[in-house]
Amino acid sequence: MTELAQLLVDWEAVIGLEVHVQLATASKAFSPSAVQFGAPPNSLTDPTVLGLPGALPVYNARALELALALGLATSSRIRMTSRFARKHYFYPDQPKNYQISQYDEPLCEHGVVDMFIGGELRRVELTRIHLEEDAGKNTHVGATSHVDLDRAGVPLVEVVTEPVMHTPEEAAEFVRALHGLVRWLGISEADMEKGQLRCDANVSVRRRGEDRLGTRTELKNINSFRFIQHAVEHEIARQLRLVESGGRVERETRLWDAVAGQSHTMRTKEEANDYRYFPDPDLPPLVVDPAQLDAIERGLPELPAARFRRYTRSGVGADEARTLVGERALADYMDAAIAAHGDEASAKFIGNWILTELLGALRAAERDVAASPLPPATLAALVRLVEDGTISGKIGKEVFEESFRTGEAPAAIVARRGVQQISNEAELGTIVERVVTANQRQADGYAGGNDKLFGFFVGQVMKETGGRANPVLTTALLKKRLGR
Ligand code: ADP
Ligand code: MG
């Protein structure tokens, strides 16, 4: 048992996450400047972003639409009239000296996100999803600091979970699920390397059986799935060592340093910010139009969790189903292939072809599934040829490879290459007879108890038929002929 596992016999970790997600809008949250990653520094500003006196913010209608889609997809309670608040703090990347956010009247509350744990769906309760704007970016070069306001005013949602997770794996999995969901909905690219999805983790420990929450620390600046797991793992271990040696966890904000694999104190409770929240007098209450909300709800796609359930119900394994719903384009490919095939009962088989042959070929060709040169209907046709015994699975892979490369229909390739499986008993029987007669010494060996020789005969039949012999029938005929 590891040291951590040992300590976790008596102690339980509690984790709540705050995830910032950039909404995929063309312009900023409260002003018309464009949103664009990698533009020249400070080229995407305007009087509102710069906080110039007299500049007034107007909330981006598209950002609201995208946030509502997330609210609905998480079954949140939508507040039909919500409010923007000013969150005050001084920092050079924020010229107004406050961030526009939502405080006591957020847009969404009490939603849920479904994630996959151990092959099953697990529900994580959300406290809230609120709207806010991003700050700019400071870059420190030696003794000089540069401020870039291109990111300032970019629309975000902050998704806050209840403190209901207990392991680093769950924390990482939640972020994966949310990442998958916002991409599935098309409301964010959520590219973590571009900072479009960022996570803060709140971690505390308590004795098992205790219902009160322990004192938490907040880990900032975690920007990859792997780091979330590492950072939380590391923080749980740090807190457990502390409490086990009679110390106490201090309420503080810690910064995760992924390079060092360590966190260090950023600010303690004493230095904690007092944000002096108050309703933003420049912005009217944000009112949701019920008709628009209905329209967004009707336009929502089937969600990953629902599709996962549908796939597993039709026989697809949990791991496979989970991979298939990991990306909407892949799941859509799966659905199109099932539809073209026409039999839901073949979903597992179709899924296997997608996950092994198709994904492998796409990876090698560096293509996205959405741009697959082999369309879903072609894959379905190929699967049918294997299922009805026209070709063997092995030949199927060769036909797949050729069809993927050339675009030729599988049936045409099979006919042209003459690779139909031999399933005719009389025809295959003749070949078996010939092979056994030609290898009498091995046949005697097998009859004398050398089981390994059976494989030799199968190989010989395959060689004779160019791999076209029906393997099940081959085995049956050989057993009969060899007398064992
Ligand atoms: P703040 O806005 O000051 O960060 P919140 O009360 O909004 O504080 O909580 C933020 C996050 O911290 C939420 O995800 C919540 O679940 C989590 N959280 C709160 N208390 C604890 C605790 N004792 N242990 C772990 N997580 C906690
Ligand atoms: Mg916080």
Side-chain angles (χ1 to χ4, degrees):
M1 217 193 260
T2 63
E3 183 203 358
L4 188 56
Q6 187 83 51
L7 291 169
L8 282 169
V9 173
D10 295 326
W11 295 87
E12 175 184 56
V14 176
I15 305 153
L17 299 176
E18 297 162 275
V19 187
H20 290 88
V21 182
Q22 179 179 328
L23 297 171
T25 56
S27 61
K28 294 199 177 177
F30 297 103
S31 64
S33 289
V35 173
Q36 191 196 321
F37 184 83
N42 297 305
S43 61
L44 309 173
T45 67
D46 54 55
T48 306
V49 167
L50 295 172
L52 299 182
L56 286 173
V58 176
Y59 193 59
N60 185 325
R62 179 69 181 149
L64 176 61
E65 214 175 296
L66 301 178
L68 287 172
L70 182 60
L72 290 167
T74 52
S75 310
S76 296
R77 198 178 302 156
I78 309 286
R79 183 175 265 109
M80 299 307 278
T81 304
S82 69
R83 198 181 286 278
F84 287 108
R86 291 184 177 181
K87 180 180 183 181
H88 296 83
Y89 61 93
F90 174 79
Y91 213 58
D93 61 11
Q94 182 174 252
K96 303 194 293 295
N97 287 336
Y98 60 83
Q99 175 190 24
I100 305 177
S101 181
Q102 294 191 304
Y103 185 51
D104 48 1
E105 297 174 65
L107 183 68
C108 311
E109 284 176 299
H110 309 302
V112 291
V113 167
D114 290 318
M115 62 177 185
F116 305 105
I117 290 283
E120 287 187 24
L121 285 171
R122 163 133 186 251
R123 212 145 243 210
V124 176
E125 290 81 21
L126 305 180
T127 313
R128 54 196 271 149
I129 302 174
H130 68 250
L131 309 171
E132 59 184 33
E133 59 174 341
D134 210 343
K137 217 174 158 158
N138 297 325
T139 312
H140 309 288
V141 184
T144 318
S145 290
H146 301 274
V147 179
D148 178 7
L149 295 175
D150 284 356
R151 209 181 64 185
V154 165
L156 307 177
V157 282
E158 179 174 339
V159 179
V160 182
T161 78
E162 289 287 297
V164 287
M165 287 167 274
H166 301 287
T167 65
E169 293 74 26
E170 284 176 354
E173 200 48 52
F174 174 84
V175 181
R176 253 187 224 112
L178 183 64
H179 178 263
L181 181 61
V182 297
R183 287 179 56 87
W184 187 280
L185 295 170
I187 66 169
S188 175
E189 282 179 48
D191 185 336
M192 292 181 92
E193 280 175 22
K194 294 182 183 164
Q196 294 168 342
L197 187 143
R198 309 192 292 266
C199 172
D200 301 337
N202 297 271
V203 178
S204 64
V205 295
R206 63 183 173 194
R207 284 211 176 270
R208 288 202 182 269
E210 173 70 70
D211 349 293
R212 261 179 323 158
L213 291 170
T215 302
R216 71 172 145 135
T217 59
E218 184 171 355
L219 295 163
K220 289 258 178 210
N221 195 28
I222 319 180
N223 59 3
S224 90
F225 300 123
R226 205 159 42 88
F227 293 164
I228 292 160
Q229 184 151 341
H230 279 176
V232 170
E233 216 162 68
H234 190 273
E235 180 59 14
I236 293 172
R238 190 190 69 86
Q239 291 189 14
L240 287 177
R241 274 192 216 107
L242 202 60
V243 293
E244 275 281 318
S245 61
R248 281 174 53 158
V249 175
E250 298 293 336
R251 173 76 192 272
E252 61 181 1
T253 303
R254 299 177 69 86
L255 203 62
W256 175 249
D257 178 346
V259 178
Q262 274 185 353
S263 63
H264 50 82
T265 303
M266 189 168 127
R267 57 175 179 259
T268 60
K269 198 180 179 188
E270 288 70 48
E271 313 156 38
N273 283 311
D274 171 8
Y275 294 124
R276 300 178 342 276
Y277 278 102
F278 65 74
D280 193 316
D282 285 346
L283 283 156
L286 185 66
V287 178
V288 176
D289 171 9
Q292 188 198 15
L293 190 63
D294 277 353
I296 296 170
E297 182 151 37
R298 279 196 305 275
L300 280 185
E302 183 187 27
L303 298 178
R307 217 175 275 194
F308 172 86
R309 272 188 223 106
R310 182 154 62 75
Y311 290 162
T312 49
R313 263 203 306 270
S314 52
V316 179
D319 283 345
E320 288 77 14
R322 182 192 156 154
T323 308
L324 287 164
V325 305
E327 192 192 339
R328 177 136 165 227
L330 186 60
D332 285 350
Y333 189 103
M334 171 75 169
D335 272 6
I338 294 173
H341 181 285
D343 188 357
E344 184 95 26
S346 289
K348 183 185 168 72
F349 200 46
I350 295 169
N352 287 342
W353 277 86
I354 291 176
L355 293 176
T356 51
E357 300 314 308
L358 182 70
L359 285 191
L362 288 170
R363 215 172 294 124
E366 294 179 13
R367 303 275 289 257
D368 280 341
V369 65
S372 170
L374 188 114
T378 307
L379 185 100
L382 174 60
V383 166
R384 275 238 175 261
L385 292 176
V386 177
E387 280 177 319
D388 67 17
T390 305
I391 51 174
S392 67
K394 189 159 163 290
I395 296 285
K397 288 179 185 186
E398 293 173 26
V399 174
F400 174 93
E401 189 275 325
E402 184 161 351
S403 180
F404 185 94
R405 197 161 36 77
T406 64
E408 191 177 355
I413 296 171
V414 170
R416 183 170 48 72
R417 287 178 42 179
V419 287
Q420 293 90 335
Q421 190 161 242
I422 304 169
S423 297
N424 180 301
E425 195 169 334
E427 188 182 348
L428 202 52
T430 312
I431 296 165
V432 164
E433 183 56 42
R434 196 159 64 230
V435 164
V436 174
T437 316
N439 298 282
Q440 197 52 56
R441 195 163 48 83
Q442 284 85 349
D444 293 343
Y446 178 77
N450 187 351
D451 288 349
K452 280 195 211 126
L453 285 168
F454 194 76
F456 163 80
F457 282 105
V458 174
Q460 288 302 306
V461 172
M462 287 299 172
K463 202 168 151 197
E464 281 278 306
T465 57
R468 291 163 53 226
N470 179 322
V472 177
L473 188 59
T474 302
T475 301
L477 292 174
L478 275 172
K479 288 223 153 122
K480 200 162 132 205
R481 175 61 181 80
L482 293 168
R484 273 212 306 135

